[in-house]
Amino acid sequence: MFPPFSIEKSRYERKFVVGDMDYFNIQQQIKLHPAAFKELYQARYINNIYLDTTELDFYFDNVSGKGSRKKARIRWYGDLFGKITKPVLEFKIREGMLGNKLSFPLKEFTVDENFNLSILKKVFAESDLPPWVYEVLMLLKPALLNRYKRKYNLNFDGNFRLTLDTDLSYYRIGNDNNSFMQSHKGEDVIIELKYDYANDKLANNITNKLPFRLTKSSKYVNGIDFLHPMLT
């Protein structure tokens, strides 16, 4: 149902979860890196509605470490609630450590106590989506709402992007009757190193000079675990 996986268009994501160093020192370590990372632009808040099947197939595929994994989310920037302008539907398709991302613009909608699955389906129907995308979406429902603040850094050569995510929060979201009950994660900083498939041979030069431990981490999985502990 999804398009063929393209290795040449894929990228790697290496993640580091840092809980034993304060944010200032983390930034200092990045500034001192010999790859000469510089801040790209002002930090901004990222908001996501994750979509999954009724049986949470995407969640369980990630938890089990399945080689082929998928995520579906609606992403926007700025305010979490209210009128959402320029939302984007994203499918993340992973094979091992390699991933592709497919993006599709959606019509505007509003996130408030009236938000429900019927409204979301109307947004999908009125957006200009390929038939296969719409077919997939009809099998999915809202599973998690999350939000975090992201700072972007790019190395001198422009081949490696390093992001720092802080202020993570997770909210319950369902098909209807949404009160958006909130749960905060701790003060951990999630660092992600992202680079194209063609630059993989250079990646160790970057990671070996970062004083952080490589970690498997998924904000979607973490959010489901926090809000639905009976699943773990």
Side-chain angles (χ1 to χ4, degrees):
M1 192 174 295
F2 285 82
F5 189 88
S6 172
I7 292 180
E8 290 74 17
K9 296 181 180 179
S10 301
R11 71 176 184 178
Y12 284 93
E13 291 185 4
R14 299 194 184 190
K15 298 184 180 182
F16 311 83
V17 180
V18 184
D20 56 355
M21 186 182 299
D22 64 55
Y23 190 66
F24 175 80
N25 285 329
I26 292 173
Q27 293 185 94
Q28 288 299 108
Q29 292 294 330
I30 293 173
K31 288 179 180 179
L32 294 172
H33 196 285
F37 282 98
K38 297 294 182 181
E39 187 172 352
L40 270 179
Y41 36 78
Q42 188 174 4
R44 58 183 177 179
Y45 277 98
I46 297 177
N47 313 290
N48 301 285
I49 294 175
Y50 284 90
L51 308 171
D52 210 332
T53 66
T54 301
E55 294 77 22
L56 297 179
D57 291 327
F58 295 166
Y59 165 81
F60 285 110
D61 284 350
N62 276 269
V63 169
S64 65
K66 188 175 178 181
S68 299
R69 307 182 300 280
K70 301 176 181 68
K71 289 180 185 174
R73 69 190 180 201
I74 300 168
R75 169 166 289 190
W76 67 95
Y77 302 95
D79 293 336
L80 177 62
F81 298 113
K83 187 175 182 179
I84 308 306
T85 60
K86 298 182 179 180
V88 177
L89 170 69
E90 296 181 344
F91 291 112
K92 294 190 73 175
I93 306 168
R94 298 189 65 81
E95 294 286 346
M97 292 184 64
L98 278 172
N100 284 342
K101 184 167 69 173
L102 306 174
S103 301
F104 307 91
L106 296 176
K107 289 196 63 174
E108 296 180 351
F109 62 93
T110 300
V111 176
D112 58 18
E113 66 276 5
N114 297 314
F115 177 85
N116 57 42
L117 181 58
S118 296
I119 290 175
L120 200 54
K121 285 186 174 181
K122 184 178 179 182
V123 171
F124 296 152
E126 295 178 353
S127 299
D128 186 17
L129 299 172
W132 74 264
V133 172
Y134 186 75
E135 184 178 346
V136 170
L137 291 173
M138 291 303 98
L139 303 174
L140 306 180
K141 65 181 182 62
L144 175 74
L145 173 64
N146 80 347
R147 172 178 171 86
Y148 46 90
K149 189 174 185 179
R150 171 164 287 180
K151 183 176 182 179
Y152 302 80
N153 300 275
L154 190 70
N155 74 319
F156 179 78
D157 294 328
N159 298 325
F160 292 86
R161 191 175 76 169
L162 199 65
T163 59
L164 285 74
D165 296 339
T166 56
D167 299 340
L168 276 81
S169 56
Y170 303 99
Y171 300 79
R172 291 181 181 272
I173 189 170
N175 293 346
D176 46 36
N177 299 323
N178 284 292
S179 59
F180 301 109
M181 292 179 60
Q182 182 180 16
S183 175
H184 283 278
K185 195 176 184 293
E187 298 300 320
D188 290 350
V189 178
I190 298 179
I191 300 172
E192 298 183 6
L193 179 69
K194 304 176 183 182
Y195 56 94
D196 292 340
Y197 169 78
N199 294 315
D200 188 42
K201 292 182 179 180
L202 303 174
N204 285 340
N205 296 334
I206 303 292
T207 58
N208 289 343
K209 294 178 175 62
L210 288 172
F212 315 124
R213 180 180 296 179
L214 189 66
T215 311
K216 179 182 177 182
S217 178
S218 165
K219 297 183 183 71
Y220 175 51
V221 170
N222 292 341
I224 293 294
D225 288 346
F226 275 109
L227 296 175
H228 305 280
M230 296 297 293
L231 292 174
T232 61

